[in-house]
Amino acid sequence: MAQTWKCSGLRWAADGPVLTWVGGRHSALVRGGRVAFGVAEGGVRTCVGERGHPCPLRAGVSGRSTGARCEECARLDRAHSVAADTMADDPRPYRVYLAWFGPGLVKVGITAYERGAARLLEQGAVCFSWLGHGPLMAARRTEELLRAALGVPDRIPYAHKRAVRAGLPRSRGERAAEIAELHARAVALGGRPESLTPAPFRGVDHAAVFGLAEEGAGGPGAVGEVTGLVAGGAIGGELVAAAGPDLHLATERGVVVLDTRLMTGWELVPAEGEPCAVPVREFRDAAAGVQDGLF
């Protein structure tokens, strides 16, 4: 019987993206390398639990769910989430940021000061700048001020981020232009909390880190995205880019985007040259022996 692996998610380390596995192992992902795996025949996707605690029911979850949690575990997970406004008494300092994902896609958000830019890498922010830092509630009020006064959202669906990646501007200056203008407008606003220490505009560009765009060269155009894994299915291809939780894989069907959150909860097996046999939604405007590890 083939050895199976259970993915616990993708994280961004100092030297790039890393897939982590239940049990503590990890697989560093390198552009140009091959990523290939299958889902065990007859497999069922089960709830991943919440915050390190296994689901007591081992409940089944949809193959299309990016959370991979049953209703009760999802509720418990949200109950300990700063993002869900359930931890207003968190004493740690927080940063407010402006993030840009592509033309017309800018958001405001907050992240714990100690995490640095990790949150921006996890979200797939192509370019970002800090706006300031301070106590949690001051950061939250600043976030709300930008939403109300400037109409800046605090959430952008991943589907929208994927749709614009192939058309990113070619230069760093062009990619930073929208958040530079927004930063200036935000600084000029009245009513910002006095306890928030402002930060000057300094655009940080992740395009080269992600492999999406280089100076004078466009990013890899994708033809579609994986909508979910299925028992007995498989996918494999050359890793040409990675942004946030997404892997851009060059398959026989073209470049396909795989959200690694869809991998959690499944029992996965090694794969070799199998074709891309998972459900893929095409983009309307396609821009074009026993292993020591799964990869």
Side-chain angles (χ1 to χ4, degrees):
M1 181 175 178
Q3 182 180 12
T4 62
W5 300 72
K6 295 198 80 169
C7 180
S8 55
L10 182 145
R11 65 178 176 84
W12 281 85
D15 54 353
V18 176
L19 277 175
T20 59
W21 307 98
V22 173
R25 294 195 180 190
H26 62 273
S27 302
L29 300 175
V30 180
R31 289 205 303 275
R34 182 170 175 79
V35 175
F37 64 89
V39 181
E41 289 282 357
V44 176
R45 193 183 192 198
T46 56
C47 174
V48 297
E50 55 88 24
R51 298 183 177 272
H53 302 287
C55 175
L57 302 178
R58 288 186 54 82
V61 292
S62 167
R64 292 174 176 265
S65 166
T66 54
R69 289 187 175 91
C70 67
E71 185 175 340
E72 179 61 16
C73 286
R75 184 188 66 80
L76 292 171
D77 190 68
R78 287 193 299 271
H80 300 86
S81 169
V82 169
D85 283 333
T86 56
M87 294 182 63
D89 58 347
D90 190 334
R92 297 176 298 170
Y94 277 77
R95 280 170 157 159
V96 184
Y97 62 80
L98 296 172
W100 182 88
F101 301 90
L105 292 185
V106 179
K107 64 159 282 189
V108 60
I110 70 172
T111 184
Y113 192 97
E114 65 197 37
R115 296 205 68 209
R119 182 63 178 148
L120 285 305
L121 290 165
E122 292 167 356
Q123 292 188 358
V126 179
C127 187
F128 81 93
S129 176
W130 302 120
L131 189 61
H133 72 273
L136 173 59
M137 294 315 295
R140 276 287 185 227
R141 286 195 295 272
T142 303
E143 186 183 43
E144 178 58 34
L145 176 64
L146 265 67
R147 286 202 301 263
L150 301 180
V152 185
D154 65 339
R155 288 178 176 84
I156 294 177
Y158 276 99
H160 295 175
K161 299 175 187 178
R162 295 176 190 127
V164 300
R165 283 181 189 154
L168 296 177
R170 296 174 180 270
S171 72
R172 287 174 177 262
E174 290 177 285
R175 293 193 291 267
E178 285 187 63
I179 56 169
E181 179 186 4
L182 185 58
H183 189 283
R185 294 172 62 197
V187 168
L189 283 175
R192 287 182 297 128
E194 294 183 1
S195 55
L196 191 88
T197 302
F201 176 78
R202 290 195 180 93
V204 179
D205 194 278
H206 288 153
V209 175
F210 293 154
L212 296 174
E214 305 291 347
E215 295 292 335
V223 299
E225 61 184 339
V226 176
T227 58
L229 302 184
V230 293
I235 184 172
E238 177 189 343
L239 180 65
V240 294
D246 294 345
L247 304 182
H248 291 229
L249 303 177
T251 73
E252 79 285 351
R253 298 169 65 169
V255 175
V256 172
V257 182
L258 169 66
D259 185 336
T260 53
R261 296 174 299 174
L262 296 172
M263 296 170 62
T264 57
W266 288 104
E267 289 191 339
L268 305 177
V269 295
E272 293 292 338
E274 288 85 344
C276 181
V278 293
V280 173
R281 178 192 297 117
E282 293 186 358
F283 294 141
R284 292 181 181 178
D285 182 18
V290 175
Q291 295 180 213
D292 185 52
L294 182 56
F295 302 137

